[in-house]
């Protein structure tokens, strides 16, 4: 299968060439500055922000999260990616294992997949019954209303990828030893069920796209543009303000004459090229 390159890949929806790396990095740098300002505002004001990322396998959720968090503090921007539930967790109320991860004051929590697993992968792959999935869809709007009314800013993003682009990305995971860990047996099993996931997605939107917690759809065939779009949208959705900071400069210090390390210490050797 011929795989599109980043250089030639185009956004199928907008028919716009992928951003060149230099232009992308320049735009991302400006957004990183704003994310730091958002971080300082959240800390200063004790705000609580929860961001959910959902989408099919290969839609680019991990890339967006990495771009969003690479220049901020992990103590403020906290990423939650839960493993499969334990037997104990399976016996709990479904959303119970997610609730302890919701943000406290001064935190931004990012869910790399969330309680919406029940509406997607669990429903499609048979890990829950149809009755359980439908009950979840009826109940979750009320849960999210409670979350929002508690003072949490809740943003829900769905990354929409085309079948052709998904195939290209999953194929790349097979061919690249750095990415093979991203391709599980679950991904392979899910790959054949595109239409089932489409129906599950549409049911999810119908039931859970509410006034207090709407879904925002990001087309993600053009990965770099999608990252910029989502970060810019997130920043525009939160009424943060620049927090005044005292100008910082390094104080003077005295350093004694350099003293060599003891010969008995173990020095990390230079790596081969």
């Amino acid at each position: 299968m011929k795989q599109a390159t980043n250089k030639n890949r185009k956004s199928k929806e907008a028919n716009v060439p992928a951003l060149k790396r230099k232009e992308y990095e320049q735009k991302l740098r400006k957004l990183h500055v704003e994310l730091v300002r958002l971080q300082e505002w959240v800390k200063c004001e004790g705000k609580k922000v929860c961001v959910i990322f959902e989408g099919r396998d290969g839609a680019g959720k991990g890339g967006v999260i990495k771009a969003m968090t690479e220049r901020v503090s992990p103590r403020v921007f906290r990423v939650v990616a839960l493993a499969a539930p334990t037997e104990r967790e399976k016996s709990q109320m479904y959303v119970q294992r997610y609730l302890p991860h919701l943000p406290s004051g001064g935190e931004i929590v990012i869910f790399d997949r969330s309680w919406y697993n029940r509406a997607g992968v669990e429903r499609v792959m048979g890990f829950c019954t149809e009755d359980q999935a439908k009950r979840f869809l009826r109940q979750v709007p009320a849960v999210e209303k409670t979350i929002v009314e508690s003072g949490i800013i809740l943003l829900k993003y769905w990354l929409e990828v085309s079948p052709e682009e998904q195939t290209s990305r999953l194929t790349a995971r097979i061919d690249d030893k750095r990415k093979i860990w991203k391709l599980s047996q679950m991904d392979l099993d899910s790959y054949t069920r595109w239409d089932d996931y489409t129906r599950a997605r549409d049911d999810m939107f119908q039931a859970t796209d509410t006034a207090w917690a709407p879904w925002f759809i990001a087309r993600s065939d053009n990965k770099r543009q999608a990252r910029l779009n989502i970060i810019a949208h997130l920043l525009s959705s939160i009424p943060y303000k620049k927090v005044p900071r005292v100008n910082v400069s390094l104080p003077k210090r005295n350093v004694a004459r350099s003293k060599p390390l003891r010969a008995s210490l173990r020095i990390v050797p230079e790596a081969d090229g």
Side-chain angles (χ1 to χ4, degrees):
M1 181 180 299
K2 187 174 180 180
Q3 185 177 335
T5 63
N6 285 335
K7 181 178 180 181
N8 297 322
R9 182 178 296 144
K10 296 185 177 182
S11 169
K12 297 176 177 60
E13 300 83 8
N15 197 30
V16 176
L19 285 172
K20 298 289 181 61
R21 178 174 292 276
K22 184 175 181 180
E23 181 184 4
Y24 166 71
E25 290 179 348
Q26 288 173 342
K27 292 183 176 182
L28 185 59
R29 181 183 179 89
K30 293 179 181 178
L31 292 174
H32 281 159
V33 171
E34 293 303 317
L35 285 170
V36 170
R37 288 175 177 165
L38 170 64
Q39 170 182 274
E40 297 306 296
W41 176 78
V42 166
K43 286 170 54 181
C44 179
E45 299 293 329
K47 298 296 183 179
K48 299 174 287 186
V49 180
C50 179
V51 186
I52 289 173
F53 285 106
E54 294 288 345
R56 303 176 195 263
D57 296 321
K61 298 179 292 297
V64 173
I65 293 170
K66 181 179 179 181
M68 186 180 295
T69 58
E70 63 183 345
R71 296 293 180 181
V72 291
S73 170
R75 290 182 291 276
V76 178
F77 280 77
R78 184 161 54 84
V79 179
V80 176
L82 299 186
T86 64
E87 290 302 315
R88 180 175 183 274
E89 288 171 334
K90 289 178 183 178
S91 71
Q92 297 173 346
M93 179 179 69
Y94 179 71
V95 298
Q96 185 172 339
R97 76 186 190 116
Y98 294 96
L99 297 181
H101 299 280
L102 290 174
S104 300
E107 288 185 336
I108 299 171
V109 170
I110 299 171
F111 280 96
D112 184 353
R113 294 197 184 277
S114 66
W115 44 86
Y116 282 103
N117 272 343
R118 173 132 296 181
V121 64
E122 290 190 15
R123 186 180 193 183
V124 172
M125 301 305 294
F127 297 139
C128 69
T129 66
E130 269 297 296
D131 285 345
Q132 287 174 323
K134 290 177 180 178
R135 188 184 311 122
F136 167 81
L137 291 175
R138 290 195 304 269
Q139 294 175 345
V140 74
V143 173
E144 291 179 349
K145 191 169 188 179
T146 301
I147 290 172
V148 171
E149 289 177 347
S150 76
I152 294 175
I153 298 171
L154 177 62
L155 294 170
K156 303 188 304 192
Y157 290 101
W158 174 272
L159 276 64
E160 183 68 11
V161 66
S162 68
E164 298 82 7
E165 184 65 17
Q166 186 195 48
T167 296
S168 175
R169 293 179 186 177
L170 296 182
T171 301
R173 293 180 183 181
I174 297 173
D175 297 336
D176 190 335
K177 290 183 174 58
R178 299 170 301 171
K179 298 179 180 180
I180 191 64
W181 64 272
K182 293 184 177 182
L183 193 63
S184 67
Q185 185 60 47
M186 179 67 65
D187 297 328
L188 297 175
D189 293 341
S190 298
Y191 176 74
T192 63
R193 304 192 184 190
W194 178 273
D195 291 339
D196 293 335
Y197 273 101
T198 299
R199 285 188 287 270
R201 177 203 64 189
D202 292 346
D203 285 351
M204 182 185 75
F205 289 160
Q206 180 68 29
T208 66
D209 183 38
T210 60
W212 54 89
W215 280 101
F216 296 100
I217 316 303
R219 300 191 182 277
S220 63
D221 278 11
N222 185 328
K223 290 191 290 187
R224 290 175 180 171
Q225 189 62 56
R227 293 167 191 168
L228 299 177
N229 293 345
I230 291 170
I231 296 173
H233 181 272
L234 180 143
L235 290 166
S236 71
S237 301
I238 301 174
Y240 70 98
K241 297 178 181 179
K242 185 177 179 180
V243 175
R245 292 181 65 93
V246 177
N247 291 331
V248 177
S249 60
L250 290 176
K252 293 182 179 180
R253 66 174 180 179
N254 296 319
V255 179
R257 186 166 55 89
S258 179
K259 184 177 180 182
L261 294 169
R262 297 201 314 270
S264 61
L265 292 173
R266 297 171 180 82
I267 307 299
V268 176
E270 296 291 329
D272 294 333

